[in-house]
Amino acid sequence: MVLSVTHPAQMDGAIPGFRFLWAMYVRGYDATRHCQPGLRGRRVDTFHSRTARCGVPVLLDQVHRFPFVYICGVATGPLHLRGERNLHLPLRYDPGAVAGTTTYNDFTFTITNASLVIVPRLPRGWRDLPDTQTQCRNFQFAVAAFGAPDPAHTR
């Protein structure tokens, strides 16, 4: 898989507009946690808040060891706008396919040899878990990708 980030007015450089930005190879999850700490795997060292660059392709070459890659960006700005501005790209290796999206601030993320993983939203109060967990897109991805956790392992 190859990740490329482009922008109509910025040829290269840091990717602004995200408080946190990262990619992670994922092989499982810890159902007692949410956000990045709940995902089990390995962060992509060449694509996180300090290293992510527009115009610099990133080779995601560990897909043979991990079934998924998750790209996430926590937007800057007012808290009430972050939910719609945050970036969530859960991906699966898929030779010949192309996946991607354009962010709220016009950065286009394109990933070759990848397809998007469909992540249904969980209802509030799902399994009596707090909304901070069930409404987290990382947690929702983990449930969609790896199945619902054993209720005994969610507290």
Side-chain angles (χ1 to χ4, degrees), residues 9-27:
Q10 180 178 326
M11 297 308 292
D12 58 15
I15 302 169
F18 295 96
R19 184 172 176 201
F20 302 106
L21 185 61
W22 49 268
M24 185 170 181
Y25 298 108
V26 183
R27 68 170 160 258

Side-chain angles (χ1 to χ4, degrees), residues 92-144:
R92 170 182 287 121
Y93 178 64
D94 188 357
V98 178
T101 193
T102 299
T103 64
Y104 78 97
N105 56 352
D106 295 325
F107 283 89
T108 298
F109 284 64
T110 305
I111 306 89
T112 58
N113 296 316
S115 59
L116 287 174
V117 175
I118 302 302
V119 180
R121 297 223 180 239
L122 295 173
R124 293 188 179 280
W126 184 77
R127 294 198 171 196
D128 295 323
L129 293 171
D131 286 349
T132 52
Q133 190 163 353
T134 63
Q135 299 310 294
C136 170
R137 295 298 287 159
N138 294 183
F139 183 80
Q140 292 172 356
F141 154 75
V143 170

